[in-house]
Amino acid sequence: MMRIRKVAPAIAMLLTAIIERLIESRRRVAAQFIKFAAVGAFNTVLDFGVYLWLTRSFPFWGAHIVSAASVSFVLAVASSFILNNLWTFRQDVGGWRKRSAKFFLVAVGGLLWNAAILHLFTTLGLHDIPAKLIATGLVLMWNFTLQKTWTFRA
């Protein structure tokens, strides 16, 4: 009985430290996710803004809307990489080339997933707006998970 009394406080302290570390880790991930989503929202506006500017201001781009959409997508992904690199995951400039290639691959993968999910749900009869919202939510999780664990390893 005496041994248990001596060991119990040490076990309690160890368990408390483990729980506090888990809580802190979850807070860090939640903060990264919120920043990632905010960067995504900003770059969605950037993507649409560049697309509208190109297609409404220049006849060439107005006649080539897929090309304009491609240009706006690449600019938004570049902006997203810079903001996520420096703010969300707080990486230094070293190794940016490797991270940027990974980031772009994940972004293109997300674009393809988004299109596939949108197509699936609209084919099943769901209206395009709810289908787009579902696709966006799923792809957000895909993008965050891969960017965090593969691109930035943060």
Side-chain angles (χ1 to χ4, degrees):
M1 185 71 159
M2 206 55 162
R3 284 184 134 176
I4 293 175
R5 286 186 182 169
K6 289 181 179 179
V7 174
I11 292 172
M13 285 176 50
L14 178 63
L15 288 175
T16 301
I18 291 170
I19 290 168
E20 287 174 355
R21 188 171 176 124
L22 283 172
I23 290 170
E24 181 57 35
S25 173
R26 299 234 185 236
R27 283 186 187 137
R28 193 180 96 246
V29 171
Q32 286 177 331
F33 181 77
I34 289 167
K35 288 178 178 181
F36 188 84
V39 167
F42 169 78
N43 285 298
T44 298
V45 171
L46 177 64
D47 183 13
F48 274 85
V50 169
Y51 173 79
L52 289 171
W53 176 68
L54 287 173
T55 58
R56 302 314 186 260
S57 300
F58 302 97
F60 173 83
W61 294 110
H64 299 90
I65 60 173
V66 173
S67 297
S70 298
V71 168
S72 67
F73 173 78
V74 168
L75 288 174
V77 169
S79 170
S80 183
F81 172 73
I82 292 166
L83 293 172
N84 279 305
N85 190 64
L86 297 176
W87 185 51
T88 306
F89 299 111
R90 298 194 180 272
Q91 300 289 314
D92 61 19
V93 293
W96 71 269
R97 285 188 178 114
K98 185 176 180 180
R99 284 193 306 273
S100 65
K102 288 179 174 182
F103 192 91
F104 189 76
L105 284 173
V106 172
V108 169
L111 178 66
L112 295 174
W113 273 116
N114 196 302
I117 294 166
L118 180 64
H119 177 74
L120 172 69
F121 282 118
T122 55
T123 301
L124 294 173
L126 191 61
H127 190 269
D128 67 320
I129 299 301
K132 179 75 171 152
L133 289 171
I134 292 168
T136 299
L138 292 173
V139 171
L140 172 64
M141 297 305 171
W142 153 276
N143 282 339
F144 177 73
T145 301
L146 284 177
Q147 299 297 15
K148 178 175 176 42
T149 60
W150 184 53
T151 304
F152 295 104
R153 298 188 189 275

